[in-house]
Amino acid sequence: MAIQLGRKARCELMEKKEKRVSSDIEKRLQHFEDQLALNKLINSYHWRADHFEWQEWSNCFTEDAEFDFTGEFGTMCGRSNIHDICKGNMDHVYGAMQHVIVNLDFEVTGENSALGHGNLIFTALPDPAQQHLNFQSGGRYNWEFKRTSEGWRISKARLDFIWTQGENVGAVFSEPQAATG
């Protein structure tokens, strides 16, 4: 025995279904927009460092960010402190740098929070005219992000280098410690 709905009831059911579908599409669209924005933020973060654009680079962080660069520059707190320490330790040592970031993965954990990680290969040339004299290292990043009025920003970052190669001119970075077991 089929139940027949009146025109008004059918219209109400259709409206509810359309709202659910619309809400689902909006959530999925927001997810993709957040993923794209986080990816763009991290790409800008590395691009700016490669071009010694330290002020723009530091704007990738929240004002109260923490950057844990254990074994290197320590834990830096605050956007301006992160800027000053990183620029002060690297700007005068290298003539060219390249950060290659791969295996990026982001997870939006709330309306205004996200997590992420990626692998880094860093190459630096003290003198770009002598490309055979380079320094390389590889490491792993872990990030926490906050959505701000400026968009997504890094609120916490941790970088652990796991290998180095070449001459560490200026001793900017320490040698990774061997794992003990």
Side-chain angles (χ1 to χ4, degrees):
M1 171 171 194
I3 299 176
Q4 290 194 344
L5 298 174
R7 181 171 182 228
K8 183 178 179 183
R10 281 195 311 268
C11 287
E12 288 174 359
L13 278 174
M14 290 299 289
E15 284 180 25
K16 286 181 183 178
K17 183 177 180 180
E18 288 173 3
K19 285 181 183 177
R20 279 195 311 269
V21 169
S22 177
S23 175
D24 184 50
I25 290 171
E26 288 173 10
K27 287 177 185 174
R28 290 171 42 204
L29 180 59
Q30 184 64 55
H31 172 77
F32 288 122
E33 287 176 346
D34 289 338
Q35 292 287 320
L36 183 61
L38 290 164
N39 193 68
K40 187 173 181 173
L41 173 68
I42 294 303
N43 284 336
S44 178
Y45 169 84
H46 288 96
W47 179 263
R48 299 293 187 184
D50 286 346
H51 292 86
F52 301 90
E53 297 173 358
W54 296 112
Q55 189 59 54
E56 294 86 350
W57 172 83
S58 67
N59 288 336
C60 294
F61 292 93
T62 60
E63 285 291 339
D64 61 347
E66 292 180 20
F67 187 178
D68 183 2
F69 206 173
T70 303
E72 307 307 331
F73 308 153
T75 299
M76 300 165 278
C77 298
R79 180 187 285 173
S80 63
N81 193 35
I82 293 168
H83 168 274
D84 293 348
I85 291 172
C86 290
K87 179 181 179 181
N89 280 294
M90 297 175 71
D91 208 36
H92 64 286
V93 177
Y94 301 125
M97 297 186 298
Q98 183 179 39
H99 295 77
V100 179
I101 188 80
V102 297
N103 299 332
L104 291 174
D105 189 35
F106 305 109
E107 178 186 355
V108 177
T109 56
E111 186 176 337
N112 297 313
S113 61
L115 301 172
H117 61 264
N119 292 323
L120 170 72
I121 297 175
F122 170 76
T123 304
L125 303 173
D127 180 358
Q130 297 184 40
Q131 296 178 8
H132 63 285
L133 299 175
N134 61 68
F135 173 74
Q136 292 186 313
S137 58
R140 295 188 178 108
Y141 265 107
N142 286 289
W143 299 285
E144 292 181 24
F145 303 96
K146 285 184 186 174
R147 187 190 317 266
T148 71
S149 60
E150 301 170 312
W152 286 104
R153 295 293 182 262
I154 301 165
S155 59
K156 290 187 179 179
R158 179 179 174 90
L159 175 56
D160 294 304
F161 281 128
I162 54 176
W163 62 268
T164 62
Q165 174 180 302
E167 186 179 347
N168 188 5
V169 176
V172 174
F173 303 108
S174 61
E175 297 294 320
Q177 300 301 313
T180 56

